[in-house]
Amino acid sequence: MSTTRIPVYLMPGMAASSTIFKNIELAKDRFEIHLLEWFVPEYGTTFEAYAAKMCEQIKHERPVLIGVSLGGLLVQEMAKLIEVKKVIIISSIKQKSELPKRLLFAKYTKIHKLLPTGLINNVELLVKYAFGETIKSRLELYEQFLAVRDKYYIDWCIDTIVHWNQSSYEPNLIHIHGENDVVFPIQYIKNCLIVPKGTHTMIIHRYKWFNERLPTIILE
């Protein structure tokens, strides 16, 4: 007797393409992977409206949504609009209290408006914002994962993170976080599955950890 495969939608982090998931493998007889991509929002688009637009790309009932970093925030917003089987966030946050103090400071001072996001063709700068990495030797590696280099989009993303106002989350939400994440430091994160030595980019570098554990996490 055949069984229906579980649809799993993967959402990358800010400015990144779905190629960050290129090494993620789930058994094809049990799971069906679908990749989502960022698009540049129209001027004035709210995060909620963006989530609704992204939901139009969901073609299955009760999918599993997996989001990385800002993509983790987005799939949570999407889950408020459609019925889902499970939401899994990676290297992300699930409520505003998990924002690091520097971003909370930015919210009230508007200092994030001064970030030089106009230098979007500066790969080193964009990698720093998108992946939390400053290692020059890895710039070529990370450049291949960058998909959106639109100034309005980058400004919109940063403003969205700073002003995300979620104060509670669904109890069945699964949060996977690296203990060495520099974008969203682990000391501010509560109730998560910790990946030892995991960084903000662990979906790329620790794919074997995810390939071994994601099936169980999805099915449990």
Side-chain angles (χ1 to χ4, degrees):
M1 183 176 68
S2 63
T3 57
T4 302
R5 293 188 297 170
I6 298 174
V8 180
Y9 283 80
L10 305 179
M11 186 72 220
M14 183 183 83
S17 75
S18 63
T19 56
I20 67 168
F21 302 112
K22 69 177 184 178
N23 292 317
I24 297 300
E25 297 179 353
L26 299 175
K28 293 183 179 180
D29 62 330
R30 305 199 71 177
F31 306 99
E32 182 179 341
I33 290 180
H34 300 272
L35 303 175
L36 298 173
E37 303 285 359
W38 291 102
F39 58 87
V40 179
E42 295 182 3
Y43 184 79
T45 299
T46 65
F47 198 39
E48 293 77 12
Y50 193 97
K53 193 72 175 176
M54 188 64 75
C55 282
E56 295 176 7
Q57 299 187 37
I58 306 299
K59 305 302 181 184
H60 300 80
E61 295 183 355
R62 300 190 72 245
V64 172
L65 302 181
I66 301 179
V68 175
S69 193
L70 179 58
L73 276 64
L74 182 60
V75 296
Q76 290 176 76
E77 293 298 327
M78 294 168 65
K80 297 173 183 177
L81 303 173
I82 61 173
E83 185 178 357
V84 299
K85 177 180 177 64
K86 184 165 290 187
V87 175
I88 301 171
I89 63 172
I90 300 168
S91 306
S92 188
I93 60 172
K94 55 190 176 293
Q95 53 190 2
K96 60 183 180 181
S97 62
E98 294 181 330
L99 280 171
K101 287 183 170 54
R102 68 179 184 278
L103 289 181
L104 289 174
F105 176 75
K107 176 179 180 179
Y108 294 107
T109 63
K110 310 297 183 184
I111 196 170
H112 64 290
K113 297 289 188 181
L114 302 178
L115 292 173
T117 53
L119 302 177
I120 54 175
N121 289 319
N122 183 324
V123 176
E124 184 174 356
L125 179 67
L126 189 52
V127 163
K128 180 178 179 180
Y129 289 146
F131 299 115
E133 295 276 358
T134 57
I135 304 173
K136 292 182 181 295
S137 61
R138 289 184 176 179
L139 289 181
E140 184 175 347
L141 167 66
Y142 288 123
E143 186 174 12
Q144 68 178 301
F145 299 121
L146 294 172
V148 188
R149 304 189 186 188
D150 180 89
K151 179 184 182 331
Y152 176 71
Y153 165 81
I154 299 298
D155 287 339
W156 179 88
C157 286
I158 296 172
D159 200 60
T160 293
I161 295 171
V162 168
H163 288 93
W164 197 53
N165 205 37
Q166 181 162 285
S167 58
S168 63
Y169 57 93
E170 293 297 323
N172 58 347
L173 174 77
I174 303 298
H175 186 172
I176 305 173
H177 212 81
E179 68 174 354
N180 294 334
D181 193 311
V182 297
V183 176
F184 299 123
I186 192 67
Q187 62 260 38
Y188 301 112
I189 306 299
K190 307 297 182 184
N191 302 320
C192 69
L193 177 58
I194 299 176
V195 179
K197 299 182 180 179
T199 67
H200 196 66
T201 56
M202 62 185 180
I203 194 65
I204 299 172
H205 304 297
R206 299 291 299 278
Y207 64 88
K208 291 182 179 179
W209 188 98
F210 288 95
N211 288 342
E212 291 173 359
R213 294 167 175 80
L214 272 180
T216 301
I217 292 172
I218 292 172
L219 293 171
E220 66 184 4

